[in-house]
Amino acid sequence: MGAHAERMKQYDRGHSFRGSSGSSSRGSFTVDTSEVMGLFADLTGKEQEKATRDGLRKGANILRRATRRNLQSKIHGSIRKKWIGRDGKQYKSMSEGVVVNAKSAQEVRVHIMGEFRLKWFELGTESRSRKFWSAKRGIRFKDAEAGRTGKITGIHFFREAQQQTERQIFSNLDSYISQSIDKIARKHATKH
């Protein structure tokens, strides 16, 4: 029986990956990661990257859900509805514009640039107007069509979501990565 199988048996007997809470008055805690690191060492390089990336993605998805929730609470109408442009094509919904990119095991990004309107709602716009003459298009607007087209006030839904979830994400990140390692280790143990 290999070292990996023995570690899995010890884990099944009740050994915890999350550790126990310390007695610190500041609310900090200690985590015993020796068993997790042992399982992590038994995984191949690709499996190690996958476990780390999956754990980071779990944390990033918390921010994505909070961003979508904040956006829906501040915008009138559904954020899941796709919209049809002037050209008749169907474009992404605003909900699909909140994107999680997990490119490597060291970095996961959450951004709102998946849909161009989200930037306007996050940061706002200056007062905009349509001129009487558009040199770019070679179009001359009627007097009634020229004039102010409005201003969007920034609602900062993404920044607020970051502030709301930052502590939760970073305090549970070890736990998410440990769960991913455990999942891959169990899958690896059943194959062998």
Side-chain angles (χ1 to χ4, degrees):
M1 188 178 280
H4 176 71
E6 288 178 29
R7 286 194 186 108
M8 288 306 295
K9 278 188 177 182
Q10 287 178 350
Y11 175 74
D12 288 334
R13 285 187 204 133
H15 289 84
S16 174
F17 281 170
R18 292 180 193 88
S20 59
S21 297
S23 60
S24 174
S25 61
R26 294 183 183 173
S28 65
F29 58 93
T30 59
V31 177
D32 180 24
T33 60
S34 59
E35 292 179 27
V36 177
M37 295 312 292
L39 289 175
F40 189 71
D42 289 344
L43 300 177
T44 65
K46 241 182 187 179
E47 290 173 335
Q48 288 177 350
E49 278 189 32
K50 182 178 178 0
T52 308
R53 189 173 43 244
D54 288 350
L56 291 173
R57 190 180 290 127
K58 282 182 185 178
N61 282 331
I62 292 172
L63 176 58
R64 179 171 61 177
R65 283 190 297 271
T67 302
R68 287 177 175 172
R69 202 171 29 249
N70 283 356
L71 180 63
Q72 182 62 62
S73 69
K74 294 184 178 201
I75 290 182
H76 178 70
S78 175
I79 63 168
R80 289 193 167 88
K81 184 178 178 183
K82 294 182 186 261
W83 66 281
I84 299 173
R86 290 182 182 175
D87 55 359
K89 291 182 183 177
Q90 190 174 26
Y91 291 94
K92 286 183 178 181
S93 67
M94 285 195 271
S95 177
E96 291 172 330
V98 182
V99 180
V100 173
N101 284 339
K103 293 185 177 183
S104 70
Q106 291 83 24
E107 180 182 39
V108 174
R109 290 185 181 184
V110 179
H111 63 85
I112 58 172
M113 298 306 293
E115 213 282 326
F116 71 94
R117 297 175 293 171
L118 292 176
K119 182 174 76 170
W120 296 342
F121 289 114
E122 173 68 16
L123 302 173
T125 62
E126 295 178 0
S127 183
R128 297 169 294 157
S129 63
R130 190 174 346 181
K131 298 175 184 170
F132 181 72
W133 172 257
S134 174
K136 196 178 208 180
R137 294 184 185 156
I139 300 172
R140 186 178 175 110
F141 295 109
K142 296 177 185 172
D143 286 335
E145 292 176 344
R148 296 182 183 186
T149 56
K151 173 183 178 181
I152 297 175
T153 306
I155 56 176
H156 308 292
F157 62 93
F158 187 56
R159 181 175 45 179
E160 288 177 10
Q162 286 176 322
Q163 292 168 352
Q164 292 166 356
T165 60
E166 183 177 17
R167 179 173 286 154
Q168 178 188 2
I169 291 169
F170 288 115
S171 64
N172 294 327
L173 199 55
D174 288 336
S175 151
Y176 299 141
I177 294 173
S178 296
Q179 289 170 2
S180 298
I181 291 170
D182 181 45
K183 181 179 175 183
I184 292 174
R186 285 182 181 279
K187 189 174 182 181
H188 187 66
T190 57
K191 285 182 181 179
H192 296 288

